[in-house]
Amino acid sequence: MSNQSGALPAPETILRTTLPNGLTVLVRENHTSPVAVLQGSLRAGTVQEAPAQAGLAAFVAGMLTRGSAHYDYAAFNAAVENVGASLSVAADTHSTDFGVTALAEDFDDLLDLLADILRRPTFPAEHIERLRQIKLVSIQEREQETGSVAARRFSEALFGRHHPYGAAIDGYQETVSALQRQALQDFHARYFTPQGGVLAIAGDVDAARVLDTIQARFGDWRGAAVDQPAVAHVRRPGARQHATMPGKVQSDIVIGAYGVRRADPDFYSVRVANCILGQFGMMGRLGERVREEQGLAYYSYSAAVAEQEDGVWFASAGVNPDDVEAAIASILTEFDRLGSEAVSAEELADSQAYLTGVVPLMLETNEGVASTLLNMEWYGLGLDYLQRYPALINGVTAADVQRVAARYLRPDACIIATAGPELTGDEQDVAHRG
């Protein structure tokens, strides 16, 4: 599924239109293989949930493939599997996301199927209970994994469990157990609307023809614009907490603080700085120092997540329980060093080359192209974003890297969340003082 002629998608090769109902469609033709891909999002996510209904958006997304007006569960699976296609749906904070991959000759049939499950789900009662049990088991397993527990404690400490960015997308045992069929139906009826939705298509299609097909399947869909609730929160000071999980032989650590939202002017500086800190090569400085040189971690990396309204910048590590404090100190040292010392010209250039070089590789597949087009539209980046992107990354200076690290990764402002065996007496004292 190579990208057509190796050229990056550009304004002249992307067909973009917004239907009268508010649904935006982007199409990029690529005739090098007989495959077509759709990636899409609707503005229905966990941000619309009440705290007592945590997991509702994810429950609705999971039910869409379990019965609709023209496809029961068996018919849906047969329609997808018999032609070797794939169709997935999942909820996120601000969106419900879906994807279709199929041979070009079957793509219209899969669009029929997609339109039916998005617009006309039936929420069969027996499948609600089956999916509920699957979700409850998954949540139970999540609570037994030190990495997921540390990550959840970190998010809850930053934002609060009742905040969309702090709550678990899949919900909790008590909230998922209480969700009723009517709540799923109401959520779908209220928030599944074409207004503000995006469909991005790449592959062996004729752009004008596939647009007509989309119009036929989705054009008569109506719905008001979805309210996007404010997600502001009180910023919390640095803190330390530990989740004791008896019987575990590994501890996991998540350390970080508030980052930047996607539209923040510092986004690209943070992206480059994070690559240096914990991504480039063998996971950047964290992989080199904490894991390789000091031998304090089984893994160690960093991530900068930029959401629509806020972001987080954090490091994660899996360690021997005896090395928890030493690993935390080492990670915080790297945070401080990035903010107090200028990175070398070579280190900066290497990370910039990586961040710009990975884009053409990602765009070698139709999935990568469709996902990128969706991202460009969702965040209002413009159809020429891929042409501007190298300059945005290469324009970041060593001073920018030092500035954003000093601003966002202040050790005294960090949340430190750990999960694993019970702490020793000395470690308990440190956690308590934190």
Side-chain angles (χ1 to χ4, degrees):
M1 290 182 284
S2 296
N3 186 25
Q4 185 175 353
S5 73
L8 298 179
E12 59 271 17
T13 62
I14 302 168
L15 174 64
R16 178 189 180 277
T17 188
T18 299
L19 305 182
N21 64 5
L23 184 66
T24 297
V25 184
L26 300 96
V27 187
R28 173 51 152 63
E29 295 184 15
N30 172 17
H31 302 290
T32 58
S33 65
V35 174
V37 174
L38 178 148
Q39 296 284 336
S41 294
L42 301 177
R43 297 188 185 276
T46 63
V47 72
Q48 278 98 19
E49 296 172 347
Q53 293 182 318
L56 175 57
F59 209 142
V60 171
M63 284 300 300
L64 297 186
T65 58
R66 289 175 170 261
S68 59
H70 299 102
Y71 298 87
D72 63 15
Y73 186 55
F76 169 85
N77 286 303
V80 175
E81 294 170 5
N82 289 349
V83 295
S86 66
L87 192 160
S88 61
V89 188
D92 206 340
T93 307
H94 292 279
S95 61
T96 293
D97 308 318
F98 43 91
V100 173
T101 300
L103 291 172
E105 64 189 45
D106 302 313
F107 195 56
D108 283 4
D109 291 338
L110 268 295
L111 290 179
D112 282 338
L113 179 55
L114 179 66
D116 204 53
I117 68 169
L118 290 178
R119 300 180 58 183
R120 294 175 286 271
T122 53
F123 299 104
E126 67 273 20
H127 282 284
I128 289 177
E129 294 313 313
R130 289 181 193 174
L131 183 58
R132 189 195 312 278
Q133 291 308 310
I134 291 171
K135 285 185 168 294
L136 291 175
V137 169
S138 177
I139 291 170
Q140 190 174 30
E141 292 173 346
R142 180 188 78 194
E143 297 303 308
Q144 296 302 314
E145 296 174 355
T146 53
S148 64
V149 170
R152 185 171 56 76
R153 289 292 185 93
F154 172 77
S155 296
E156 291 178 358
L158 273 181
F159 295 102
R161 177 168 163 168
H162 290 165
H163 188 280
Y165 292 168
I169 288 175
D170 286 329
Y172 305 89
Q173 290 276 347
E174 65 274 16
T175 60
V176 172
S177 297
L179 291 174
Q180 300 300 310
R181 182 171 184 264
Q182 189 63 53
L184 275 63
Q185 292 174 308
D186 291 347
F187 186 91
H188 179 270
R190 183 172 182 181
Y191 298 116
F192 274 64
T193 166
Q195 288 280 352
V198 181
L199 303 180
I201 298 168
D204 189 18
V205 297
D206 176 270
R209 183 185 172 282
V210 79
L211 185 60
D212 288 342
T213 303
I214 294 293
Q215 175 71 48
R217 272 55 169 194
F218 295 93
D220 62 343
W221 190 11
R222 293 291 181 268
V226 173
D227 290 334
Q228 294 293 317
V231 294
H233 64 281
V234 176
R235 296 220 160 193
R236 304 177 182 206
R240 171 78 186 269
Q241 58 176 272
H242 176 73
T244 299
M245 302 177 66
K248 298 299 180 181
V249 297
Q250 175 174 312
S251 292
D252 279 78
I253 303 167
V254 181
I255 306 177
Y258 302 101
V260 297
R261 64 191 184 104
R262 183 59 182 82
D264 194 293
D266 278 340
F267 172 81
Y268 298 99
S269 296
V270 169
R271 190 165 196 175
V272 173
N274 180 66
C275 187
I276 293 169
L277 177 65
Q279 290 290 323
F280 179 71
M282 298 296 290
M283 298 306 172
R285 290 181 172 185
L286 293 176
E288 180 182 346
R289 303 293 176 88
V290 183
R291 181 175 180 270
E292 296 298 322
E293 291 182 11
Q294 299 169 348
L296 292 172
Y298 309 120
Y299 71 86
S300 185
Y301 69 92
S302 67
V305 180
E307 284 277 12
Q308 197 166 296
E309 299 298 334
D310 211 329
V312 294
W313 194 359
F314 66 91
S316 288
V319 305
N320 183 304
D322 294 335
D323 292 329
V324 167
E325 296 310 316
I328 289 172
S330 180
I331 291 168
L332 291 175
T333 294
E334 293 307 319
F335 284 5
D336 184 68
R337 187 164 74 96
L338 193 63
S340 61
E341 302 173 6
V343 299
S344 69
E346 180 181 9
E347 202 171 15
L348 177 63
D350 284 347
S351 285
Q352 289 170 323
Y354 169 76
L355 289 170
T356 54
V358 75
V359 173
L361 296 176
M362 183 177 62
L363 295 171
E364 286 183 351
T365 66
N366 290 320
E367 288 88 349
V369 172
S371 178
T372 299
L373 294 181
L374 174 60
N375 191 60
M376 287 160 54
E377 181 64 32
W378 192 261
Y379 290 107
L381 304 177
L383 296 183
D384 64 343
Y385 173 68
L386 292 172
Q387 283 65 47
R388 294 185 292 107
Y389 176 76
L392 293 169
I393 293 296
N394 292 326
V396 175
T397 66
D400 290 328
V401 169
Q402 186 175 341
R403 174 180 57 80
V404 296
R407 178 177 179 183
Y408 298 106
L409 291 180
R410 292 187 2 250
D412 65 310
C414 283
I415 297 290
I416 302 174
T418 55
E422 185 173 0
L423 297 178
T424 66
D426 291 344
E427 290 169 337
Q428 286 177 334
D429 288 344
V430 172
H432 180 71
R433 290 198 302 271

